[in-house]
Each structure stands twice: as structure tokens, then as C-alpha cells.
Amino acid sequence: MKERIGLIDIGSNSIRLVVFQVEDNLAMREIQNIKIPARIFQYINDDHEMSQDGIDTLARIIGAFAKEAAILKADRILPKATAAIRQSKNKDDIINQVKKKTGVTIELVPEEMEAYYGFSAIVHSMSDSDGVSIDIGGGSTEITVFKDKELVEAFSFPFGAVSLQEKFFNGKDFNDAKSIKETRKFVRQAFSEQPFFENLNLPIFAIGGSARNVARVHQMQSNYGMAGLHGYIMKPKQIDHVFDTFVDLSMKEMLKLEGLSSNRADIIVPATIVFQELIQTVDSPVFKFSQEGLREGIVYEYLEEKYRSAFDIHRVAQETVERLSSIYQFSMPDSAQRMVIARQLYAALSEDGYLKLNDRELELMNYGAYLYNLGEMIEPGNASQHTFYLLSNSNLNGFSHPERLALSILASYKNKTLFDQYLTTYGEMLDDKQVETLQHIGGLIKFAECLNDSHNNIVKSMDTVMKGNNLILRVFFQGELLSEVYRSEDQKKHVERAIGKDITLEFINANSYRAIL
């Protein structure tokens, strides 16, 4: 472990403490996450000053969080405040009183940096290169446009879920039709005055609590089987359907709605209106969700300032796979050799046209081979089942949900029966062609594992030749063959299924072969 970081996120709607443990390979792991829905925005009067009650509430919560961070032995506390305090005329007095009462000095996040941190979290945790990001807070909404993972434009709108609720719904029902119409008109007008994200036809990446609640409600409504929100995708019509669900319910029903936090029941409608209006303005085809947001963006900045070349935003998926090795402590040399053998096998088969994969499928083959049967550390006899469960139930940076499912299937591939069993939970996430391709790739990975059964790295290369009507897969090795011959003969059926042709294995000592040549 390198260090522990305690981040206090002081938002308009809630205050949260997250303690991150940073491992030696810079993998970040949450060890504490506490949220208090303080709604400090409600303590700010019409003159944009926070009342003494609000300051006292803020100081009490920050003091408690600082003690909790100390108990967890945080090496550094990062107390960051956004719109509610930033927009207060008496912000200096707020900061001074909190410091005097708690010893903690609040740092204000400038508008432009609040947008940047959200963008940074997305490009550090997702593989997409181009898009529009949105983070709806309680008192502000941050929107950015990025291309090739570079920030192009950013703007902070001075309204959020709480402030919109107070402006248009105060004293009215949360689903009041006139208030909804007025909110929509207001947001649409605000967006029209900042035309930098009009008609971009790019995916939208949503972060923050409001986005998470919309996604969770949709998952509950559709009986979605896969765990986690990171990389979850919704279409614009699905956002509209969730919105219709909200406005058709009573407040009593909203408080019981699966997936919706009760403290957001009265503010989720204006937040969803903002999402809908952004989708229409951008002409976006998809709405994607990132589990990581402002807090992670702040920590990424801190780590990159402290540790040189800490992250490569163009290798998000690869770094995720590599960092899993520190979590599950499997043999990296064996994993790397299995990946090499799988690539050699594919190269031999593809050269003569027996198998063809696209670039993303090849990447998934590499990752699946590297992580193959990582569940052995729980129980070797059921390594496949444990591997599938661990990967399919983890938020994996750089992977969409269908890609996470594909990776889980490849890394756990054992036989067709288990393969089909794993797929039954996830409905229509993959089409028939994708399923067939994954079964073929899984067979290659399993066969590659057989060719390194003794873990002595003896396989050096492979090729295919025809002898009459027989397809020969020649395996060139150096060293002593142990169980590789038996295992590969027993499991070659997986390769035969993938290419639709019987094969004969021929093991050739590479040194002797070179001497003959």
C-alpha cells in the first residue's frame, strides 16, 4: 500500500467521505464511503449567504468525517467544496469558522475545475475517446465536450437538481405538470445560450448521484442481471420511460421505488429533465454511466501530481486487467505465457483463413487469456465458477457491460455446458454471432492453457500445414514435454469446433528442427 486518501466531498445536496486506499501499483480501492444528505443549499438565503445553522451543520459533519478519516489512518485529507459554498457571499466566513471548529481547511473547487474533474474521471475509467459529459450537482451542472480524450469545451451552469426543485417546484407536487414544463423551458433556453455541444451526435457520459439513480431504476424495471453501474448504457427512449415512471407515481410510491434513493425522490424529476434536454441538444444516440466522478477526478489529479506517469488514459482496459493481478494475486508469468500462446495459436489459424477476429475481439482474447481461471485462488476445483462470478460482478474500468460479460465468459471458459449456463442470466446482451465467436475464443484460451500445463514455458511457436487431407497443427517446443501432449490431445476439440475442421497435433523440438533446416 502506498497511502490512504480521505476525500470530503461537500456538495449542495450531500456531504460524503470516501477513503481510498492506493495500492503499490496505483490501483484505487474504496475502504470507506459515508454519505449524509445535508442539503446545505437550503441554508443559503435570497442574498446568497449561508446561515449560522448551515455553517454549524457543515462544521459538525466535517469534524465527524475528519475523525473517521483519522481512525482509518488516512495519510491525507482532501476537503473539497462545490457550488453551495462557492456561490455563497460569506464563503470566507464559512471556511474560517469550519477551520476554527474542526482544524480542516475547506478548498473551493472552481467552476471550470468541477467540470474538468468529471471529464478526467471519465477518460481515466472508460475506453471511449469522444463524448459529452454531464454531472448534475445540487446547485450546478457541469458539461464538457472531449475528443481523442482531450478536453475541448467545458461550462458550469448555475443550476442543479436542488436549485431547480426550489425554483420551480417549491410548494408544489414533485410531478406538477406546469412546473415540469417551466423547468424544461428554462433548461432548454440555458443550453441554447451555450451552443458548443449542439448536434454533436456523440455519446453522453453521466456521473453523479442523479445519474446513478436513473440507471438503477431502469435496471430494476428491466430485471437487469449484471451488477454495477459503471459502463451501463441506456438509449434516449429508455431515459424517457424512466422519466414517465417518475411523473406517474405519487410521492408515497416514489419513496418505495426500487433503485431510487429516498432523499432524491423530490429532486429526481428536474434532474432527469436536464438529462433529456441534453440528449436532445446533443442529438446523442446513447447515454452511458460512469461510477467514477468528481471525487475520483480529484484523486487522479492528486496521484498524477505525486507519481509520475501514474496512469495511461489510452490503455484503460489494459491497466485494469494488469491491476487485477494485485487484487487476486495470480501468477503474472503464467498469465503472460498463456496470452502469448493464445496469440500464437490464433496467428497460425488465421494465416490460412481458418479463423478471423476483429481488433476488439483480439483484445478480449488477450485479456481473457491473462485472467484465465483467476478464481483458482478461492478454490481450484471450481475455478471457472468463481472466475465468472468475480469478473461479472466487478466494475471494470475500460469495459462496457457487454464487454465485461464477454471477458468473464472467456476468462472462465471450461466447457459448452457452463458457457451456456453463464449466458442464461443476461438475456439479450449478446447476439448469436457474438456468442458463437466467444465460444471459439474461449476454446483457444483453454487449449493455450493446456500447452503450458507444466508452467515451464516450453512452447515457442506454432504453424499449420496440410498433409494430404489432414490439417496439422505443429507445436514447436524447447525443453521437456510433460503433460502438455496429453492435455492438448484431450482438449483439441475446442479448436476443432472453432475452425470447423479436425486437426492433428504434431510436437516438434525446435532445436532439432532448426538443426535439420
Side-chain angles (χ1 to χ4, degrees):
M1 181 186 77
K2 281 189 178 292
E3 61 180 306
R4 285 184 177 177
I5 301 167
L7 191 144
I8 302 176
D9 177 8
I10 307 163
S12 302
N13 185 51
S14 61
I15 304 174
R16 189 184 296 261
L17 168 69
V18 182
V19 179
F20 296 93
Q21 180 162 300
V22 182
E23 306 296 350
D24 290 335
N25 63 358
L26 298 182
M28 293 192 300
R29 182 167 64 91
E30 282 188 13
I31 62 171
Q32 182 61 285
N33 190 323
I34 304 173
K35 182 181 91 169
I36 296 178
R39 293 205 174 180
I40 58 173
F41 197 92
Q42 67 187 356
Y43 294 103
I44 297 175
N45 60 28
D46 293 340
D47 294 324
H48 299 288
E49 292 186 345
M50 182 179 290
S51 68
Q52 188 60 47
D53 284 346
I55 298 174
D56 292 341
T57 298
L58 179 64
R60 184 179 71 255
I61 295 172
I62 290 178
F65 280 174
K67 291 177 181 177
E68 176 67 11
I71 291 171
L72 293 173
K73 299 181 180 179
D75 301 289
R76 177 73 183 270
I77 294 180
L78 302 175
K80 303 286 185 175
T82 53
I85 298 179
R86 185 179 64 225
Q87 296 169 1
S88 298
K89 287 184 179 179
N90 61 334
K91 55 181 173 285
D92 291 339
D93 183 41
I94 296 170
I95 294 171
N96 289 334
Q97 284 199 48
V98 170
K99 182 178 180 180
K100 184 177 180 180
K101 294 177 180 181
T102 69
V104 175
T105 302
I106 295 173
E107 300 174 24
L108 298 180
V109 177
E111 287 183 3
E112 65 276 10
M113 289 306 295
E114 189 168 356
Y116 172 81
Y117 287 139
F119 149 77
S120 178
I122 289 168
V123 297
H124 278 86
S125 65
M126 306 188 86
S127 294
D128 304 76
S129 296
D130 306 327
V132 176
S133 74
I134 180 169
D135 181 6
I136 303 177
S140 65
T141 295
E142 277 62 51
I143 293 177
T144 74
V145 175
F146 59 93
K147 294 186 178 179
D148 296 323
K149 293 213 166 189
E150 294 289 335
L151 185 63
V152 176
E153 296 279 358
F155 192 79
S156 180
F157 291 88
F159 57 80
V162 176
S163 59
L164 287 174
Q165 191 275 336
E166 291 191 347
K167 183 177 180 68
F168 294 104
F169 293 84
N170 194 20
K172 302 175 184 177
D173 290 338
F174 78 97
N175 56 358
D176 179 73
K178 183 179 179 181
S179 299
I180 289 173
K181 184 177 180 179
E182 291 175 347
T183 304
R184 195 175 296 281
K185 180 180 178 181
F186 173 82
V187 173
R188 187 173 297 173
Q189 176 63 32
F191 284 171
S192 70
E193 294 171 0
Q194 296 293 331
F196 67 87
F197 49 86
E198 284 186 356
N199 301 317
L200 293 179
N201 195 232
L202 290 173
I204 292 174
F205 297 85
I207 61 178
S210 294
R212 289 192 294 272
N213 275 259
V214 168
R216 278 199 296 264
V217 168
H218 184 256
Q219 287 183 341
M220 294 293 182
Q221 288 181 329
S222 54
N223 294 317
Y224 192 70
M226 181 164 279
L229 297 176
H230 192 70
Y232 186 61
I233 298 173
M234 291 177 65
K235 296 178 181 178
K237 287 185 178 180
Q238 293 171 325
I239 298 288
D240 293 341
H241 178 73
V242 171
F243 177 79
D244 291 341
T245 297
F246 293 151
V247 298
D248 287 343
L249 298 178
S250 66
M251 177 53 71
K252 183 178 180 180
E253 291 169 325
M254 285 285 280
L255 292 171
K256 296 179 180 179
L257 182 62
E258 291 287 341
L260 180 65
S261 298
S262 59
N263 67 296
R264 288 188 182 271
D266 62 333
I267 61 174
I268 196 64
V269 166
T272 310
I273 289 173
V274 176
F275 292 143
Q276 291 176 307
E277 291 303 314
L278 182 63
I279 289 170
Q280 183 172 326
T281 302
V282 174
D283 189 24
S284 177
V286 292
F287 204 75
K288 300 186 178 184
F289 295 86
S290 170
Q291 187 71 25
E292 298 193 358
L294 178 136
R295 290 182 290 275
E296 288 77 12
I298 291 170
V299 176
Y300 281 127
E301 179 187 59
Y302 169 79
L303 293 175
E304 287 178 326
E305 288 178 352
K306 189 169 183 178
Y307 305 105
R308 195 172 178 183
S309 302
F311 306 98
D312 185 344
I313 60 174
H314 299 287
R315 296 174 63 250
V316 176
Q318 186 173 337
E319 288 191 346
T320 294
V321 170
E322 291 170 352
R323 287 183 169 126
L324 285 172
S325 63
S326 70
I327 298 175
Y328 298 116
Q329 298 179 344
F330 53 82
S331 171
M332 287 187 285
D334 286 345
S335 296
Q337 179 64 11
R338 188 188 310 113
M339 186 169 61
V340 169
I341 294 173
R343 286 202 299 251
Q344 291 173 341
L345 176 60
Y346 171 74
L349 296 173
S350 64
E351 186 174 358
D352 292 323
Y354 294 111
L355 193 62
K356 184 64 176 177
L357 302 176
N358 61 38
D359 289 344
R360 188 54 174 165
E361 289 165 347
L362 284 171
E363 286 181 2
L364 287 170
M365 182 186 76
N366 288 335
Y367 300 148
Y370 190 82
L371 298 175
Y372 189 70
N373 276 349
L374 64 82
E376 282 184 332
M377 56 89 181
I378 298 176
E379 184 184 0
N382 292 309
S384 173
Q385 291 90 332
H386 291 305
T387 299
F388 182 81
Y389 180 84
L390 288 170
L391 293 177
S392 64
N393 287 281
S394 299
N395 280 324
L396 300 179
N397 287 350
F399 293 87
S400 67
H401 280 210
E403 288 171 339
R404 187 186 353 146
L405 174 59
L407 176 63
S408 304
I409 287 172
L410 294 178
S412 63
Y413 188 85
K414 183 176 183 179
N415 54 49
K416 188 177 185 302
T417 300
L418 278 177
F419 177 86
D420 292 338
Q421 179 182 319
Y422 295 150
L423 283 171
T424 55
T425 309
Y426 298 99
E428 304 299 323
M429 191 178 292
L430 302 172
D431 62 34
D432 291 343
K433 178 60 177 176
Q434 290 171 320
V435 169
E436 181 183 36
T437 300
L438 288 176
Q439 186 177 355
H440 293 166
I441 298 172
L444 300 190
I445 294 172
K446 183 172 179 62
F447 186 75
E449 169 74 357
C450 295
L451 288 176
N452 193 39
D453 196 58
S454 63
H455 307 291
N456 290 328
N457 300 345
I458 62 174
V459 173
K460 302 306 175 185
S461 64
M462 279 177 268
D463 67 11
T464 59
V465 295
M466 291 296 297
K467 291 184 179 179
N469 293 324
N470 295 324
L471 175 62
I472 311 298
L473 176 62
R474 301 193 301 183
V475 181
F476 297 90
F477 69 93
Q478 289 180 348
E480 184 176 355
L481 289 170
L482 296 175
S483 54
E484 283 78 9
V485 175
Y486 160 72
R487 288 291 314 286
S488 56
E489 283 287 354
D490 187 50
Q491 298 297 328
K492 69 177 183 178
K493 59 189 176 187
H494 297 289
V495 179
E496 292 172 335
R497 183 185 296 123
I499 66 175
K501 194 174 183 66
D502 291 342
I503 61 172
T504 299
L505 298 179
E506 189 174 306
F507 287 84
I508 301 172
N509 188 297
N511 292 331
S512 301
Y513 186 75
R514 280 198 296 267
I516 294 173
L517 292 177

